[in-house]
Amino acid sequence: MKKLFTLAVLLAMALGANAATWQKVYEKSYSDFTGFPYYVMGYVPEWVNGVMTDYGADYRYATQTDLDGDGDAKWKDGESSVGTVKNAGGTEYQKVTGAGPYWHQYFIADGIPTQMDGHYKAVAKVKATAACTINVNMGNWSSALGCNVSIPQSDEFVEVEWEYDGIAVTSCFLIAQPGTCTETIEWESIAVYEDAGGTTPVIWQQWLTDDGQPIIDGQEHTNKWVGDAEFGQWPDWALETTEGVNINWRGDNAQKICAWSLTMGKNNDSGMFKDSPLDGRARPYPTDIELESGTNNHVFAVHVTQIDCIDDCDAAENPGASTAWSNQFWIQAPANVKEGLTVRIKFRYKAEHACAVGTQWHRQHPSDYRDWNACGDVNFTEAWQDFEQTKTIGVDDVWSLAFNLCSDATNGRTPNVFYFDDLSWETMKLEEGYFIAGINTAKTSKYENLNDAIEFKDVEGTLEATVGKKGDDETYVNQVMISTVKGDNTAFMNSTLKPTESITNDPENWVSYELSSLAKLDLPGLGVWTVYLDTDYSSMAFEMIEGKVLEPIEVFTYTDEIVVNGLERDWLTAGNDGNPREAEVGTGETWDNQFFIKANRALAKGEVTKLAFKYKSSVDAKTTTQCHGENPGSYMHWAAIGDVNFTTDWQDFEQDFTVPNEADGMWNIAFNMAEIKEACDYHIKDVKWYLPCAEEGMTYENLISGSTNFYKKEGAGTDPYTGIENVTVKNAKTSNAIYNLAGQRVSKDFKGIVVKDGKKFVK
C-alpha cells in the first residue's frame, strides 16, 4: 500500500504547534456494501468489486420518474441512458450522459461522532485515472468546513490524508465535491481520527427506564432498562382501550412508553384532539413485543400494511394509498430535549424486505412532527444491524425519533415487517445554569477544560461573573464563551450565548443575545472582565475591571477606482441566464470573470463585519457573491453579501456581513462577474471592510489595508486570481492585450472577432 500525505487547505483557525494525539473515531470499508448506502444528492457512485466508483462528470443519475417529470432532473436535449444503478436500499437510477460535464457531489461518510471545536484527520484509500483536486466538506446541513484534497493518479490505492480544525457540530458527514471533474475516482475505505488531546470524558445517562429516572454510566442502579424488549411486556394500563382504541398517545403517558408504532388499519381513532376533529385514521399504539422466529429473544415488531401508490396517485381514487409516514415507529424519551443538547441513539434493526427508511424528530405525542433533520435514512436489510449516532438537536421540544416506514417508494410497496431491539436514548449528564470561560487569544485558541467555567451568581437581580484575577496579568482574557450548561466541552460549546450587537466596555450598554453554537466573544481589550446577564430581557453588558482597553481607530478606505474588464462569457455549461440553454451549449461559467476582496486574516463564523464601497458598470449587470478561503478561488460557501446589481450610474453599497457557519475561516468575498454573457467593465472604489464599533467612522480593526487586498480574474482563458497590480485602476493606461471569443490571448496579427479592454470588435 502506497502512502501519500496531501497538503490540506484548512478553512478554519490555524492549527496549534502541539503534536496531535490521534484516536480513531470512525471507520468504513466500502466492501461492506453492494450499493451506495447514503442520501442521494443527484449522483450515485457505483459499486465495482466492493469499491465505490465515481465515473466523473460525464454522467448524472436520476430515477425514471424524475427524468419523465418537470423538475430539474428531467431529460435534457442530447441525453440518453447507458444503464441503470441501484443504491443499497434498492432504488433504481438511470445512468445518463450526453449533456455534461455535470457538477456532482456525494457522501463518502455519515454519522461521524465529533466534539465541538475539535481537530480531525480523514484518511481515505483512493485512486484516480488522473491527478485531480476535489473539495471535501465535513459537518452537517447547518454547518460544514471545506478542504481541498489532492488525489494522485495511481493504478494502486494510496492513502490520502487531510485535516479540519474547529468543527462546529457533534455528528458529521463527509461530502466529496469533484464538481465538473471528469476523472474516474475510486474509494476503497475511509477512516476519521480525532485529536484526543482536546477532548473531555463524557458521562452519559440512559433514559429508557421503567421509572423515568436516568441510569448514569459508572454508577450502580436498580432501574430496569426497557429498551430491550426482554423487559417482558407493557403494563396493563398501556394496553387498555377506550371504545376499542388505545388513546395513550394523546396524554401525559406518552413518554412512559419507549416504543410506539402506527400501522394503517390498526387502532383507528375518532373524536377530538387539540380542539380538532379526528378523521378515523390509524393512530399510534405501544409497539407489539414478539418472540423472534427461531429464538427465545423478544423484539419490537411493526407489521406494515398496504402501502401501494406512494407518490403520484389520486388520493380520492385511492383512499388506501400511503404517504411516507402512513406507517411509523418511534423511539420515545421520557422528557423533552432542549435545542442545542446532544443525544446518543443506539438500536438494532432489520426487516423482512430490504428498504430505506427516513427519520424525523417528533414532540411528546407520537406523530406530532417537529423537524425533518434527524438521523438521515436508515437502510434496513434482512440481517440484524447495529445503529449508533450522536446527534445535536437543532430544534427545541424534541421527545422522540420517528421512522417513516413507507419512505422507500421503490422497495416499500409490498407488506413488510420491521424489527427493533436494544433501544437506547442517552443524554449527557450536565449542570444547568449560566457559565463563563475566557482565554487570551495571543497565547491559545483552545478552551481546554470548560468544566472549570465560572458560574454566574445572582447579585441584586442581575447575574454576574468575573473572568481573570486582579493583579495577575497571566489570567487576563480578551475572549470569552458563555453557556447555559457545563459538564462536557461539546455540550458547553453547543449551548453558548451570542450578542447580536457589538461589545463595548460599558456596564450601562446592554446588548441583546441569542442562543448559538460555538459563540466566541471577542472583547475590546485584554484584562479582567465582569459580565452581566439579564435573562428576563436576554441581554448582556461588559465591564473591564483591570487591563488595557482597545482604542478605536479610523476606518481605512481604499480610494483608488478599480476596474475589472469582464470578458464575454461562452455559453453556459448548465442552466440559463435568460438565453435558451438548448440553443447553444459551451464551456462558460458564471465565475469566468471574478473580483475578490481579501481580508487581512481568517474570519470566524458568526463574526460581524461591515463592508462598504461605490460601484458602477459599463452595462447593467448582476454579480453573485460567495465566501472563499485563504486563496482566491478556494470556494467555501455560496452565500456572502448576496447579489450586487451594477448599473451605469454610481451606487453606494453598505452591509453588515455576518460570516456564515459554513464559511468559518474564510478570507475572501468573491464576486462572480460573468453572470451576464456580454463583456462588461466593472468599476469599484472607496472600499471599506472593518469591524463595526459604537463610534461612527471608527473601528477596532480594519480588515483591508491596501492594494494587496484585491484580486481578479478576467476571462476563462486568463491566468486566474492575479493581484491588484494587474487590475486597471483610475488613470491607468488601457491594456494592449487582445483575446479571442474563447478568452485566449492572441497576437496582434490575429484576424476575426477579438476582445480588447472588455469590448468586442472585428480585426
Side-chain angles (χ1 to χ4, degrees):
M1 172 65 65
K2 293 182 181 178
K3 184 155 186 155
L4 174 76
F5 292 89
T6 65
L7 178 61
V9 180
L10 297 179
L11 305 183
M13 192 176 297
L15 302 181
N18 296 333
T21 305
W22 296 115
Q23 176 179 308
K24 187 184 294 183
V25 294
Y26 180 93
E27 186 172 26
K28 189 71 66 178
S29 170
Y30 299 119
S31 63
D32 294 340
F33 303 97
T34 57
F36 186 63
Y38 305 117
Y39 177 71
V40 173
M41 298 185 293
Y43 194 87
V44 187
E46 302 182 37
W47 251 246
V48 181
N49 297 324
V51 173
M52 182 168 63
T53 305
D54 163 12
Y55 281 110
D58 288 332
Y59 304 96
R60 70 181 181 97
Y61 298 80
T63 64
Q64 191 66 51
T65 299
D66 288 339
L67 287 168
D68 294 336
D70 295 326
D72 292 338
K74 69 179 180 180
W75 290 107
K76 309 295 190 300
D77 286 351
E79 287 187 330
S80 62
S81 174
V82 294
T84 60
V85 175
K86 286 187 177 181
N87 67 2
T91 303
E92 185 174 87
Y93 295 83
Q94 296 289 332
K95 184 178 182 180
V96 176
T97 190
Y102 307 96
W103 194 93
H104 66 298
Q105 62 181 351
Y106 49 87
F107 281 77
I108 57 175
D110 195 17
I112 305 165
T114 53
Q115 299 273 343
M116 291 288 290
D117 209 24
H119 177 197
Y120 292 88
K121 174 178 70 174
V123 181
K125 292 181 181 178
V126 62
K127 64 180 179 179
T129 53
C132 56
T133 299
I134 69 173
N135 183 59
V136 181
N137 283 322
M138 184 175 187
N140 65 16
W141 297 114
S142 63
S143 178
L145 296 180
C147 184
N148 287 334
V149 178
S150 296
I151 301 174
Q153 186 282 324
S154 176
D155 296 328
E156 302 177 39
F157 285 100
V158 298
E159 283 192 354
V160 175
E161 299 183 3
W162 64 97
E163 297 180 23
Y164 304 88
D165 197 39
I167 291 295
V169 291
T170 58
S171 181
C172 287
F173 52 51
L174 286 172
I175 293 179
Q177 295 179 325
T180 56
C181 172
T182 57
E183 285 75 22
T184 295
I185 303 173
E186 298 176 72
W187 304 83
E188 185 179 67
S189 64
I190 187 78
V192 179
Y193 298 80
E194 179 178 75
D195 181 359
T199 63
T200 57
V202 177
I203 299 176
W204 291 97
Q205 51 191 12
Q206 167 63 258
W207 280 102
L208 302 185
T209 59
D210 62 352
D211 61 1
Q213 299 302 310
I215 297 172
I216 309 298
D217 277 359
Q219 297 182 17
E220 291 187 9
H221 61 84
T222 58
N223 311 58
K224 186 186 295 182
W225 178 40
V226 297
D228 181 354
E230 289 300 321
F231 74 89
Q233 63 180 17
W234 300 116
D236 292 340
W237 64 262
L239 302 177
E240 291 176 356
T241 61
T242 301
E243 297 181 358
V245 176
N246 189 310
I247 61 172
N248 284 292
W249 68 279
R250 298 186 187 183
D252 294 335
N253 284 329
Q255 70 273 21
K256 297 179 182 179
I257 299 170
C258 69
W260 286 92
S261 296
L262 182 151
T263 58
M264 293 178 68
K266 182 173 180 178
N267 203 44
N268 287 9
D269 206 349
S270 60
M272 301 287 293
F273 179 60
K274 291 186 176 180
D275 300 323
S276 299
L278 299 172
D279 53 12
R281 290 180 297 167
R283 299 296 173 183
Y285 60 90
T287 302
D288 294 334
I289 299 174
E290 302 176 357
L291 275 174
E292 183 182 2
S293 177
T295 73
N296 293 321
N297 181 54
H298 287 85
V299 296
F300 299 105
V302 187
H303 294 261
V304 168
T305 55
Q306 179 63 37
I307 54 174
D308 284 340
C309 193
I310 295 177
D311 293 320
D312 302 318
C313 62
D314 188 326
E317 296 178 3
N318 298 273
S322 291
T323 59
W325 48 87
S326 291
N327 295 274
Q328 293 179 291
F329 174 74
W330 292 266
I331 302 176
Q332 181 86 341
N336 71 324
V337 180
K338 295 180 179 179
E339 179 181 1
L341 296 187
T342 300
V343 298
R344 184 169 67 183
I345 294 178
K346 298 182 287 187
F347 55 88
R348 294 197 309 130
Y349 64 107
K350 73 172 185 176
E352 278 195 352
H353 306 291
C355 65
V357 168
T359 60
Q360 302 171 333
W361 296 126
H362 282 213
R363 297 182 178 88
Q364 177 178 359
H365 300 112
S367 78
D368 193 359
Y369 169 82
R370 184 65 183 93
D371 189 61
W372 66 273
N373 188 18
C375 295
D377 288 351
V378 179
N379 292 302
F380 283 73
T381 64
E382 297 175 14
W384 282 106
Q385 300 180 75
D386 293 312
F387 180 96
E388 179 174 340
Q389 204 171 105
T390 302
K391 296 289 293 186
T392 298
I393 305 297
V395 292
D396 208 3
D397 197 24
V398 165
W399 293 68
S400 63
L401 175 65
F403 298 76
N404 294 330
L405 301 181
C406 300
S407 299
D408 195 332
T410 302
N411 301 286
R413 294 184 183 278
T414 58
N416 205 349
V417 185
F418 294 86
Y419 299 99
F420 298 85
D421 202 6
D422 297 342
L423 312 178
S424 177
W425 177 289
E426 298 175 309
T427 59
M428 295 178 180
K429 180 174 171 55
L430 302 172
E431 183 180 350
E432 297 190 7
Y434 292 89
F435 309 92
I436 186 169
I439 60 172
N440 179 351
T441 58
K443 296 180 178 180
T444 181
S445 63
K446 296 292 184 182
Y447 290 77
E448 297 297 343
N449 187 5
L450 292 170
N451 288 343
D452 294 334
I454 299 167
E455 185 173 10
F456 280 78
K457 301 297 184 182
D458 190 318
V459 179
E460 298 181 354
T462 300
L463 295 179
E464 297 183 11
T466 299
V467 188
K469 297 178 181 178
K470 294 179 67 174
D472 184 359
D473 58 10
E474 290 297 313
T475 67
Y476 285 2
V477 302
N478 63 349
Q479 186 187 88
V480 295
M481 297 181 75
I482 303 171
S483 180
T484 60
V485 298
K486 79 171 182 177
D488 171 74
N489 279 11
T490 293
F492 185 105
M493 294 179 181
N494 206 51
S495 303
T496 52
L497 304 182
K498 173 187 172 183
T500 59
E501 305 168 55
S502 298
I503 295 172
T504 62
N505 176 30
D506 184 354
E508 302 300 321
N509 182 32
W510 290 85
V511 298
S512 59
Y513 65 77
E514 60 189 12
L515 189 65
S516 179
S517 63
L518 203 58
K520 299 178 179 180
L521 314 186
D522 291 317
L523 305 175
L526 178 67
V528 180
W529 288 86
T530 295
V531 181
Y532 308 92
L533 294 181
D534 186 334
T535 57
D536 290 337
Y537 293 92
S538 298
S539 58
M540 57 177 63
F542 299 80
E543 181 181 15
M544 178 179 277
I545 305 302
E546 179 179 287
K548 183 177 181 181
V549 177
L550 292 177
E551 296 296 334
I553 58 176
E554 187 175 350
V555 172
F556 171 80
T557 304
Y558 187 77
T559 57
D560 281 352
E561 182 180 326
I562 303 166
V563 181
V564 180
N565 304 125
L567 302 187
E568 181 173 351
R569 191 203 67 229
D570 191 11
W571 289 87
L572 286 173
T573 58
N576 69 67
D577 57 351
N579 302 304
R581 182 184 181 281
E582 294 79 5
E584 290 189 52
V585 177
T587 60
E589 299 289 0
T590 58
W591 51 85
D592 285 350
N593 302 309
Q594 284 182 300
F595 173 65
F596 298 86
I597 305 175
K598 182 177 180 179
N600 291 327
R601 61 170 175 83
L603 301 176
K605 72 165 191 166
E607 196 165 358
V608 179
T609 72
K610 184 177 286 289
L611 178 67
F613 53 85
K614 295 181 183 294
Y615 63 109
K616 73 171 184 175
S617 55
S618 58
V619 298
D620 290 351
K622 180 185 83 170
T623 68
T624 53
T625 61
Q626 302 169 334
C627 301
H628 283 224
E630 183 173 4
N631 298 312
S634 55
Y635 168 83
M636 293 184 70
H637 186 52
W638 61 271
I641 58 173
D643 295 348
V644 180
N645 295 302
F646 284 71
T647 67
T648 56
D649 296 322
W650 283 108
Q651 301 179 73
D652 291 307
F653 180 95
E654 184 172 289
Q655 185 181 115
D656 287 336
F657 168 60
T658 301
V659 178
N661 290 345
E662 298 85 351
D664 189 29
M666 67 167 285
W667 292 67
N668 281 274
I669 294 177
F671 295 71
N672 292 327
M673 291 180 163
E675 289 288 343
I676 65 168
K677 180 173 168 53
E678 63 184 296
C680 179
D681 293 341
Y682 298 86
H683 300 251
I684 298 173
K685 66 179 181 179
D686 295 345
V687 183
K688 307 173 186 178
W689 195 9
Y690 58 96
L691 301 187
C693 73
E695 191 173 346
E696 186 70 24
M698 306 297 284
T699 180
Y700 291 119
E701 182 182 2
N702 283 299
L703 296 174
I704 62 171
S705 52
S707 62
T708 56
N709 295 103
F710 304 98
Y711 291 81
K712 61 89 180 183
K713 177 184 178 184
E714 295 177 338
T718 61
D719 292 333
Y721 318 129
T722 52
I724 191 66
E725 66 274 8
N726 294 311
V727 177
T728 306
V729 296
K730 183 174 59 177
N731 298 324
K733 296 179 180 179
T734 58
S735 172
N736 290 320
I738 58 175
Y739 303 88
N740 62 21
L741 291 183
Q744 300 165 321
R745 187 165 180 170
V746 296
S747 72
K748 63 181 180 179
D749 298 320
F750 181 86
K751 304 298 183 183
I753 301 176
V754 297
V755 179
K756 181 180 179 183
D757 294 327
K759 299 176 177 59
K760 270 194 313 184
F761 62 94
V762 177
K763 187 173 185 297

